[in-house]
């Protein structure tokens, strides 16, 4: 009989699985090697790129994935094409100074538009190391349309991570109506990571869906959605949710070391 971690004690099937030695080794804080969704003053964050990256490095991570908002997110100061170029030049400058000891990854949180396309044309999206695709508008679309919209974005070969899948904000608003099961199947099919957004207002995807995602073959990405240095520490709450959902480190994108992650991202770009 395996020991049942406290987070798994929910009266589901954990006793039967423990009896069969089939419980996973749950992810831990120290298993995470980087951050892949964070904001700077380029959009709606409170710090510039360098202090955010440096604070991430000082917390023991190997990489910092900046993912500011895209151009359609006017409310959040989404990046123009000129601002993208400026941020990429700054990332290159800092990476040269880090000399391989730490890495800033160039990402974007691209809005999923009403028709399921991603903000920016493909030749712009190709300039990023990774893309977090997220819904930030049209929350009240009917369930079928909302589901199809998100699945269309998942099918875009430039999508790396599906951000805060249901859009809920705890104590503020419910998530939008969508078929989570179909969305998870699409993520598994296209190799898109399901975000466990660690911001305390979100904790999305909810832990009750994690086992379904694992069964479908999904991978996850635990991200702080940080808009300040202090919010980088939200990572812990994402780990807590992942543990409650039974997620092992081997199924988490940013539990990869930098070299493995870069190889993963390169393979995705080559097949797109």
């Amino acid at each position: 009989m395996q020991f049942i971690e406290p987070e798994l004690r929910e009266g589901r099937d954990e006793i039967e699985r423990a009896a069969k030695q089939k419980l996973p080794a749950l992810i831990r804080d120290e298993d995470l090697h980087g951050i892949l969704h964070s904001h700077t003053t380029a959009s709606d964050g409170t710090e510039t790129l360098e202090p955010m990256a440096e604070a991430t490095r000082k917390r023991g991570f190997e990489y910092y994935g900046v993912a500011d908002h895209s151009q359609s997110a006017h409310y959040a100061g989404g990046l123009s094409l000129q601002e993208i170029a400026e941020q990429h030049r700054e990332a290159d400058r800092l990476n040269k100074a880090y000399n391989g000891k730490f890495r800033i990854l160039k990402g974007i949180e691209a809005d999923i538009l009403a028709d399921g396309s991603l903000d920016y044309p493909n030749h712009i999206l190709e300039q990023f190391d990774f893309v977090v695709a997220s819904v930030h508008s049209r929350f009240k679309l009917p369930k079928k349309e909302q589901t199809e919209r998100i699945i269309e974005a998942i099918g875009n070969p430039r999508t790396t991570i599906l951000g805060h899948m249901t859009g809920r904000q705890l104590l503020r608003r419910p998530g939008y109506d969508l078929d989570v099961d179909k969305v998870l199947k699409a993520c598994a099919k296209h190799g898109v990571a399901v975000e466990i957004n660690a911001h305390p207002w979100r904790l999305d995807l909810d832990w009750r869906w994690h086992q379904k995602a694992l069964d479908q073959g999904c991978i996850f990405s635990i991200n702080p959605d940080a808009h300040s240095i202090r919010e980088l520490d939200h990572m812990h709450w994402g780990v807590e949710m992942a543990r409650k959902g039974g997620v092992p480190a081997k199924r988490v994108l940013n539990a990869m070391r930098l070299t493995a992650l870069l190889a993963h991202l390169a393979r995705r770009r080559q097949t797109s």
Side-chain angles (χ1 to χ4, degrees):
M1 184 74 153
Q2 277 180 287
F3 175 75
I4 302 174
E5 297 286 354
E7 297 93 330
L8 296 178
R9 299 173 191 173
E10 285 289 336
R12 303 171 98 189
D13 64 348
E14 63 271 15
I15 294 176
E16 292 81 0
R17 294 175 70 194
K20 296 176 182 178
Q21 304 288 316
K22 290 188 176 181
L23 289 178
L26 301 180
I27 191 165
R28 305 164 301 165
D29 290 294
E30 54 266 37
D31 292 324
L32 296 179
H33 298 294
I35 284 172
L36 293 174
H37 182 178
S38 184
H39 299 269
T40 72
T41 52
S43 62
D44 59 347
T46 64
E47 302 285 346
T48 59
L49 179 60
E50 184 170 2
M52 288 295 284
E54 189 61 15
T56 301
R57 185 189 69 81
K58 288 181 177 178
R59 282 161 168 76
F61 292 108
E62 293 182 52
Y63 47 91
Y64 171 77
V66 61
D68 277 308
H69 287 284
S70 61
Q71 61 186 355
S72 291
H74 303 295
Y75 59 89
L79 273 61
S80 66
L81 299 186
Q82 180 180 341
E83 288 168 328
I84 291 171
E86 290 170 356
Q87 187 175 81
H88 286 190
R89 284 195 294 270
E90 178 68 356
D92 289 339
R93 181 187 72 80
L94 292 169
N95 281 334
K96 185 176 181 180
Y98 282 126
N99 195 28
K101 297 178 181 178
F102 183 78
R103 179 71 171 263
I104 296 172
L105 297 174
K106 304 167 186 173
I108 194 76
E109 185 177 16
D111 271 26
I112 299 174
L113 305 181
D115 64 355
S117 62
L118 297 185
D119 215 357
Y120 304 121
N122 287 339
H123 74 277
I124 299 299
L125 293 173
E126 288 169 356
Q127 298 175 20
F128 296 100
D129 293 317
F130 69 99
V131 174
V132 180
S134 303
V135 168
H136 290 113
S137 63
R138 304 291 297 277
F139 294 161
K140 295 183 179 180
L141 284 176
K143 182 176 183 177
K144 184 175 184 294
E145 292 178 35
Q146 194 74 272
T147 301
E148 290 174 351
R149 168 196 190 184
I150 294 172
I151 288 175
E152 179 71 19
I154 292 167
N156 188 314
R158 290 150 193 88
T159 299
T160 315
I161 300 166
L162 178 61
H164 45 72
M165 182 188 294
T166 73
R168 77 176 186 182
Q169 288 193 4
L170 297 170
L171 304 179
R172 291 178 170 180
R173 70 176 186 230
Y176 28 79
D177 198 11
L178 79 162
D179 189 326
V180 175
D181 192 39
K182 284 186 178 180
V183 172
L184 291 175
K185 287 178 181 177
C187 286
K189 176 182 177 181
H190 294 285
V192 170
V194 175
E195 182 176 63
I196 299 175
N197 189 297
H199 197 287
W201 286 117
R202 292 192 181 274
L203 303 179
D204 183 12
L205 185 66
D206 187 271
W207 68 269
R208 295 167 186 84
W209 284 103
H210 293 182
Q211 189 58 53
K212 172 70 76 171
L214 291 169
D215 292 343
Q216 297 282 11
C218 293
I219 58 173
F220 293 91
S221 183
I222 299 173
N223 298 319
D225 200 353
H227 290 70
S228 66
I229 288 173
R230 180 181 178 183
E231 289 183 354
L232 292 169
D233 296 325
H234 288 339
M235 290 289 279
H236 172 72
W237 304 114
V239 171
E240 290 291 344
M241 288 299 96
R243 287 178 63 85
K244 194 156 187 62
V247 178
K250 65 182 179 181
R251 299 289 286 276
V252 177
L253 189 63
N254 49 319
M256 292 182 180
R257 305 303 293 255
L258 176 59
T259 301
L261 177 68
L262 292 174
H264 171 85
L265 296 176
R267 285 194 298 272
R268 287 193 60 79
R269 288 196 297 275
Q270 289 166 4
T271 58
S272 65

